[in-house]
Amino acid sequence: MLQSHILPAEPASAIVPEKAREGIDVQINGEHYRHTGDPQMPLLWYLRDVLRLTGTKYGGAHGENGADLVLVADAAVSAVTAPMQTLAGKSITTVEGLAGGDDSLHPLQQAFIDEDAIGCGYCTPGWLIAGVALLRRKPKPSDDDIDQLPNLCRCGCQTRVRRAIKRAAAGKAGQS
Ligand code: FES
């Protein structure tokens, strides 16, 4: 029995030594990644083109419409304007990471469905991220708090989005 612990699983000659690759370590939706490409690459391209997490959308060159928001810790941050080199060691959550581990929706996602707050859907991931960040810093937001979010919706869903955020804040997501 003791011998099986002493014997190597494979001969040492079969192990190829590897140098550690330098890079930028980030945690995205609970998974660890090391970015070894251009440190200036915007997070949005890393998410969409490298990881194929396409929920986060282009929000304009300066993130002006809010569709590119992600959570960095608890803060909503524009993924277009955040180069990878500024994110070393950070924990990032995209819209794909909002649902629970059992695939149950986040209460704000459910509230968006309840309030029919989704038009074409382009802006929705950004609203969800901004809304979650708002609810974390202010669990009972006012209309003003919601109206000050940076997100834009070309489909005119702002009123329903406001209702959805307030429904989630009231703990009534999923209730009729
Ligand atoms: S739902 Fe279409 S842009 Fe907002």
Side-chain angles (χ1 to χ4, degrees), residues 118-124 127 152-155 157:
I118 306 164
C120 73
Y122 190 90
C123 69
T124 309
W127 277 115
L152 299 175
C153 176
R154 285 179 298 180
C155 298
C157 294

Side-chain angles (χ1 to χ4, degrees), residues 30-162:
E31 301 282 341
H32 292 276
Y33 298 97
R34 174 165 293 173
H35 172 57
T36 57
D38 183 354
Q40 295 283 349
M41 175 184 261
L43 173 60
L44 184 68
W45 306 143
Y46 186 71
L47 293 173
R48 293 183 59 86
D49 294 347
V50 180
L51 299 186
R52 304 292 180 196
L53 292 172
T54 56
T56 311
K57 303 291 190 274
Y58 182 67
H62 305 289
E64 4 353 350
N65 71 26
D68 64 319
L69 291 176
V70 298
L71 290 171
V72 178
D74 285 332
V77 168
S78 160
V80 171
T81 61
M84 290 301 291
Q85 66 184 4
T86 65
L87 299 165
K90 303 279 186 183
S91 177
I92 297 156
T93 305
T94 69
V95 68
E96 290 90 346
L98 288 182
D102 57 355
D103 280 342
S104 58
L105 293 178
H106 185 284
L108 187 56
Q109 291 176 306
Q110 183 60 54
F112 266 61
I113 294 170
D114 297 342
E115 295 290 350
D116 196 18
I118 306 164
C120 73
Y122 190 90
C123 69
T124 309
W127 277 115
L128 288 168
I129 294 292
V132 168
L134 174 62
L135 291 169
R136 286 184 184 173
R137 73 174 182 275
K138 195 160 187 182
K140 300 291 179 199
S142 66
D143 286 352
D144 265 2
D145 294 325
I146 297 168
D147 292 345
Q148 283 171 24
L149 294 177
N151 308 67
L152 299 175
C153 176
R154 285 179 298 180
C155 298
C157 294
Q158 284 91 341
T159 305
R160 285 175 282 163
V161 166
R162 190 198 290 162

